Amino acid sequence: GQSLEQPSEVTAVEGAIVQINCTYQTSGFYGLSWYQQHDGGAPTFLSYNALDGLEETGRFSSFLSRSDSYGYLLLQELQMKDSASYFCAFNAGNMLTFGGGTRLMVKP
Amino acid sequence: KAGVTQTPRYLIKTRGQQVTLSCSPISGHRSVSWYQQTPGQGLQFLFEYFSETQRNKGNFPGRFSGRQFSNSRSEMNVSTLELGDSALYLCASSYGLAGREETQYFGPGTRLLVL
C-alpha cells in the first residue's frame, strides 16, 4: 500500500532549527513535496524533491533519500509565523498522497 | 493570475441532504483534485479530474461524486449527508496530472458542517 509517516507535533523556540521527518511507502514514486498550512488557511507549496539530496529555499530546506524512502524538512531561524502544520506528500504518478501533518509550535 | 477559487466558503446542512461544491482552477490548469480534511486526519484524497475525465478516486463511498466541465471548473457532490461528512473540502489545481506535477495550488476550501 501507500503511506507516509510524520510526527504529529513538534515544538521549538524562536530562532532555533527544527527538522520534520517523513518516511513513506509506495510502489511508484516521482518525488516528495512539502506544504505549509496555517490554521484556517489553505495548504501552500514549500518545496519538492525528485532526486536525492538537499533543496534549499531561503530559511527552508528539504532533503530526500530515495533508497531509504525518507525525507525531511528543515526550518532555520524559526519565526513565530512559522507556527503551522506541515505536510509531506509523495507523487506516485497516479495521485498525490499526503501524510497526516506535523503541527509545529514556535515559542518565544 | 487569479488563484484557485472555491464556492461557497461555508455551508451548513442537515443529515440526509445533498450538497454541491464548486472549484475554479487557475487559468490554464487542466487538473482539479479534491481533498477532505478533518481535524487530525490530514488531507484525504477524494478524486482527480483531468480534461473532464475522472482519473483517480480515493477510498470514499459512492455518495461522493464529481465532474469537470470543459472550462476545467469542477464540482463535487455529496448525497445523503452524514454527520461525519463535516469537514474542510479543499480543491487543488495543476497544469498536468497531480501525481506528476511538482506543485499543487490549493483553494481556500469550503467548510461544511452537517447537523
Side-chain angles (χ1 to χ4, degrees), chain B residues 101-113:
Chain B
E101 289 283 338
E102 291 187 13
T103 308
Q104 291 287 292
Y105 297 88
F106 282 84
T110 294
R111 191 165 296 279
L112 171 65
L113 177 62

Side-chain angles (χ1 to χ4, degrees), chain B:
Chain B
K1 270 187 180 177
V4 179
T5 58
Q6 292 186 244
T7 56
R9 293 292 313 278
Y10 303 92
L11 206 49
I12 299 176
K13 292 285 189 179
T14 56
R15 279 180 299 173
Q17 289 186 308
Q18 67 98 26
V19 66
T20 299
L21 312 181
S22 180
C23 172
S24 292
I26 290 173
S27 178
H29 283 189
R30 299 174 296 172
S31 167
V32 173
S33 298
W34 288 89
Y35 299 87
Q36 181 194 66
Q37 186 175 34
T38 52
Q41 288 294 313
L43 284 80
Q44 303 293 314
F45 173 75
L46 280 156
F47 29 65
E48 178 185 9
Y49 284 87
F50 183 85
S51 296
E52 301 180 66
T53 303
Q54 186 180 90
R55 299 303 295 252
N56 286 295
K57 184 173 170 63
N59 190 24
F60 279 83
R63 301 185 295 107
F64 292 80
S65 63
R67 59 178 175 169
Q68 186 180 36
F69 302 95
S70 58
N71 62 357
S72 293
R73 188 177 70 85
S74 177
E75 290 180 346
M76 68 163 280
N77 183 276
V78 188
S79 62
T80 320
L81 283 166
E82 300 177 359
L83 295 180
D85 297 332
S86 294
L88 178 67
Y89 290 88
L90 293 159
C91 79
S93 77
S94 58
Y95 178 76
L97 290 170
R100 302 190 180 194
E101 289 283 338
E102 291 187 13
T103 308
Q104 291 287 292
Y105 297 88
F106 282 84
T110 294
R111 191 165 296 279
L112 171 65
L113 177 62
V114 182
L115 301 175

